[in-house]
Amino acid sequence: MPFHTDQIIQVLGDLKHTEPAKECVPLNDKSTLMISIFLCVGLVISYLPQHYRIIVNKTSEGFSAWFLLLGVVSSTSSFLNIILLQWDSIVCCKSLSTGACIEGLMGIVQIGLQWAMFSLVFILFLLYFPEDKKRELHAPSSLHLDLPSKMQAPLSAEWKVSLVVAATCIGHLAISFFISILLLIIVGGPEHWQTNYWAAFLGILSMLLASLQYLPQIYKTWKSKMVGALSIPMMMLQTPGTVLFVYSLVVRPGTNWTAWLTYMVTGILQGTLLIMCITWHFRNKRLGIRDIDTTAAPIVQSEHDEPNENTRLLN
């Protein structure tokens, strides 16, 4: 029986408003999978020298708190960005084998590891912040000199900034995570414009912060002309690996330029910092200056310590 015009219009209208079912197809791209696994292992290994250097020397001297703030917020935004963009791959794990699921989620794993390892650097920065720089040198406000044991020097500006940075990073993570989960539950995946726009916002925010991330550290290192607790081996491992890292993200299904441009910009700036650190390292070595000062800070006597004949009345 032939279709009438109104029937054809109705059928086309129904097709227009019907969403096609999502098809979960395994990637089966072994070369990309091998590159992703190699990068994940290399990423973890590349951060170990930095973690080790801070822990062994028991100081995070030389790090810029603003550098760490921009890095943590940028990596957090990038991590949530790729989770949202590849949400369909996460959902498809229900119908795929374990191997196919892992292969489809390697992009998320890569950026997740990047976020975790850099965040650990920030945690170590706070834990091993130099004790002698947490408080300002006390200046008496009157002619009467207080005993050191009775004085409570105010927090230093550098330590205050570090605490504010920590609170900002935690706040950004909590708010961004809450909004992302809310969109996925109420609206849906990246096929919906609200979720897609939020993912794009996170990606652009990550890109902008990554573009600025290394500038405070480059300035601090240039001004101090000291390597400090920065790890040259870490940067030597990470900078060349940026090319492969970006490539592996570019070929991932569902990702766009907002997911990988961040790391390309970061790699260029990190290379600049690496060249600077190598320059200062050999310069200071020639001058007999150590890269990092590990001398202990002077110990202030506590009010609970027993005085003796060697105890100074005034400092």
Side-chain angles (χ1 to χ4, degrees):
M1 183 177 67
F3 282 93
H4 295 289
T5 305
D6 56 344
Q7 291 177 311
I8 297 176
I9 294 175
Q10 182 179 357
V11 171
L12 292 176
D14 292 338
L15 290 175
K16 180 179 179 180
H17 294 289
T18 301
E19 291 186 4
K22 296 183 180 66
E23 186 177 0
C24 298
V25 180
L27 295 178
N28 292 324
D29 189 348
K30 301 303 179 184
S31 60
T32 303
L33 177 61
M34 290 298 103
I35 291 176
S36 297
I37 294 176
F38 172 77
L39 287 173
C40 287
V41 175
L43 180 67
V44 173
I45 293 176
S46 69
Y47 269 101
L48 294 181
Q50 182 62 80
H51 300 157
Y52 177 81
R53 182 174 175 85
I54 296 176
I55 294 173
V56 168
N57 291 292
K58 293 181 171 53
T59 180
S60 57
E61 175 70 28
F63 274 97
S64 167
W66 297 111
F67 158 70
L68 295 172
L69 167 66
L70 296 175
V72 171
V73 174
S74 174
S75 59
T76 300
S77 300
S78 183
F79 187 31
L80 293 175
N81 164 268
I82 198 169
I83 288 178
L84 292 171
L85 291 178
Q86 291 201 291
W87 183 250
D88 290 342
S89 298
I90 298 176
V91 175
C92 280
C93 281
K94 298 178 181 178
S95 58
L96 296 176
S97 64
T98 303
C101 173
I102 294 175
E103 183 179 0
L105 298 182
M106 284 306 296
I108 297 177
V109 173
Q110 286 175 234
I111 297 184
L113 281 175
Q114 169 72 25
W115 168 76
M117 300 303 285
F118 192 89
S119 296
L120 182 55
V121 173
F122 180 56
I123 294 173
L124 292 175
F125 165 77
L126 294 174
L127 292 177
Y128 290 97
F129 192 90
E131 291 293 334
D132 58 330
K133 292 190 175 182
K134 285 186 177 181
R135 294 191 176 275
E136 300 284 0
L137 294 177
H138 181 78
S141 56
S142 65
L143 294 177
H144 175 70
L145 298 178
D146 296 326
L147 290 175
S149 60
K150 302 296 183 181
M151 294 188 302
Q152 185 67 24
L155 297 178
S156 66
E158 189 176 358
W159 180 235
K160 285 181 180 178
V161 168
S162 301
L163 295 178
V164 171
V165 164
T168 303
C169 291
I170 295 174
H172 170 264
L173 173 62
I175 294 173
S176 299
F177 180 79
F178 176 76
I179 294 176
S180 300
I181 293 297
L182 203 63
L183 285 172
L184 290 173
I185 294 175
I186 298 177
V187 178
E191 67 275 6
H192 299 278
W193 68 268
Q194 297 95 331
T195 305
N196 193 46
Y197 278 17
W198 173 245
F201 168 76
L202 290 175
I204 294 173
L205 176 64
S206 176
M207 179 192 67
L208 292 176
L209 295 181
S211 301
L212 302 173
Q213 174 186 352
Y214 277 89
L215 296 181
Q217 187 61 61
I218 290 173
Y219 173 77
K220 185 178 180 69
T221 304
W222 176 268
K223 187 177 179 181
S224 65
K225 293 180 172 54
M226 296 284 290
V227 177
L230 293 171
S231 173
I232 292 178
M234 179 197 71
M235 290 184 282
M236 291 182 68
L237 289 171
Q238 288 185 355
T239 304
T242 302
V243 177
L244 283 177
F245 191 67
V246 171
Y247 169 76
S248 68
L249 293 178
V250 170
V251 299
R252 283 282 154 194
T255 60
N256 54 36
W257 60 273
T258 63
W260 54 261
L261 188 59
T262 299
Y263 296 96
M264 186 180 72
V265 175
T266 302
I268 295 173
L269 294 176
Q270 189 179 47
T272 303
L273 180 62
L274 171 61
I275 294 173
M276 185 181 299
C277 286
I278 292 176
T279 302
W280 294 144
H281 170 74
F282 285 105
R283 168 188 173 274
N284 294 339
K285 186 177 181 180
R286 187 173 63 253
L287 297 175
I289 303 174
R290 300 180 62 181
D291 282 339
I292 187 170
D293 184 13
T294 56
T295 56
I299 301 175
V300 179
Q301 185 178 357
S302 170
E303 59 182 342
H304 301 292
D305 294 340
E306 290 293 333
N308 53 47
E309 64 275 9
N310 295 322
T311 303
R312 297 176 60 182
L313 295 178
L314 294 175
N315 279 348

